[in-house]
Amino acid sequence: MLSRVRVWLNRTYAENVFFMDQLRRNPSDRAVEIHATHGDPDSPVLAAADTAELEPDGLSPAAYVEYALDQCARRGIDVFVPRLHQAAIVAHRAEFTAAGTALLAPTPQAVAVFEDKATAYEAVRSVGVPVPPWWRVRTADELLDAVEELEDAGHRACFKPAAGAGGVGFRMITRSPFSLAGLAGFPGPYVQLDLVVEALRQAEEPVDWLVMPRLEQPEVSVDCLTGTDNRVRLAVGRTKNGRRRGFTLDERWLAPARLVAEGFGLHHLSNVQFRMLGDRPVLLDVNTRPAGGLHQLSLCGVNAPWAAVQLALGEDPGVIEPPFLGQDYTVVSGPRPLLTASLPQQRVAGEVLLPAVPAPQGRAETAGAAQALPL
């Protein structure tokens, strides 16, 4: 009888409640226990886990590594899926290995390349992956120069932080003056160029932004599973065009994604995103972690989280071909229960942990892009 696998997810996204569900429903019928930590006591991942703890606030990356090593030792963690402080953690892989914990994460070199979007664009362009034109700007004058060049070429300019995730800080530039029309409806991503320039001129510190053309849909996110031998075991594209989502195995998207995953040591789970510049796909972003929408591959008959855990444990699942491509779908939010008891929650040896009590009305949180529904 195979022993149970103990997996830890640290301060991860709410959508990863579905990652956890897939680990438990693995095709190997292997017992899986999940430990979760987070800084927010109302994170749904804490309620979905078998054991949970609140993370201490204010730890430096080095102190967080010590905290993580202690968690792995105390909790008997077999596989650790780090999101917070990923760079610091993978730099200490040997120490986690010595503690009996496999890291489901890429190499330190890969994390360093893709932490900074400008560095990432330079790196992938050097191996032949197309990237959009971009400017790194820190001042108002640099911003104006970049916007003018883009507009002269017929593009709409946008900017985003050189380092960041989840679309935080993304804005599209407009030259239209601010008016009441901008206050109608829901807030949007557009920001007036004159307001941005004035804010930059008044700022005490320089910014670190990438300015680039607004890329068009479809957006294609290629989920990759790559071994430590730099061979991709799984690559499936998830397409997004407005509300409509779907899947693709078109090599226009998969071939450059494989090139990135294999060429830069993106071991285990990664996500390579593309959008359109004119009539050709160009790189948008690279995530060195499992994508929040990874669970949607279940609509293609694929359990990517479990295959990744197998790979981390040295149980190579081999090349995985989706048995079919799921139909187009959309995503909707849904309620998930929250913990009603004080943390930590802990499974006692030999005792079955009761499910978290559903939160009272008003205390259920929607877990982001929750459930996939067919169109």
Side-chain angles (χ1 to χ4, degrees), residues 5-61:
V5 180
R6 187 85 161 129
V7 181
W8 173 28
L9 287 80
N10 76 331
R11 206 171 296 206
T12 193
Y13 303 111
E15 289 86 348
N16 276 333
V17 293
F18 306 112
F19 186 103
M20 299 158 72
D21 290 343
Q22 286 189 284
L23 289 182
R24 293 190 177 104
R25 296 196 302 264
N26 67 80
S28 302
D29 200 25
R30 186 101 171 254
V32 175
E33 291 183 5
I34 299 173
H35 181 55
T37 58
H38 208 285
D40 178 4
D42 286 339
S43 169
V45 299
L46 297 180
D50 296 300
T51 61
E53 287 187 22
L54 282 175
E55 292 188 357
D57 289 328
L59 293 182
S60 68

Side-chain angles (χ1 to χ4, degrees), residues 252-325:
R252 285 194 308 163
W253 316 99
L254 268 57
R258 287 194 199 96
L259 190 59
V260 171
E262 294 178 343
F264 292 96
L266 286 172
H267 300 162
H268 305 295
L269 288 169
S270 62
N271 177 259
V272 187
Q273 301 172 358
F274 301 91
R275 272 190 174 236
M276 300 298 291
L277 180 63
D279 60 356
R280 66 180 182 134
V282 295
L283 184 77
L284 175 63
D285 204 358
V286 176
N287 293 313
T288 61
R289 53 169 175 78
L294 179 69
H295 64 279
Q296 292 160 16
L297 294 188
S298 63
L299 298 178
C300 300
V302 172
N303 188 327
W306 178 246
V309 166
Q310 286 183 296
L311 197 56
L313 293 172
E315 304 166 6
D316 195 334
V319 175
I320 301 171
E321 297 287 349
F324 54 86
L325 291 184

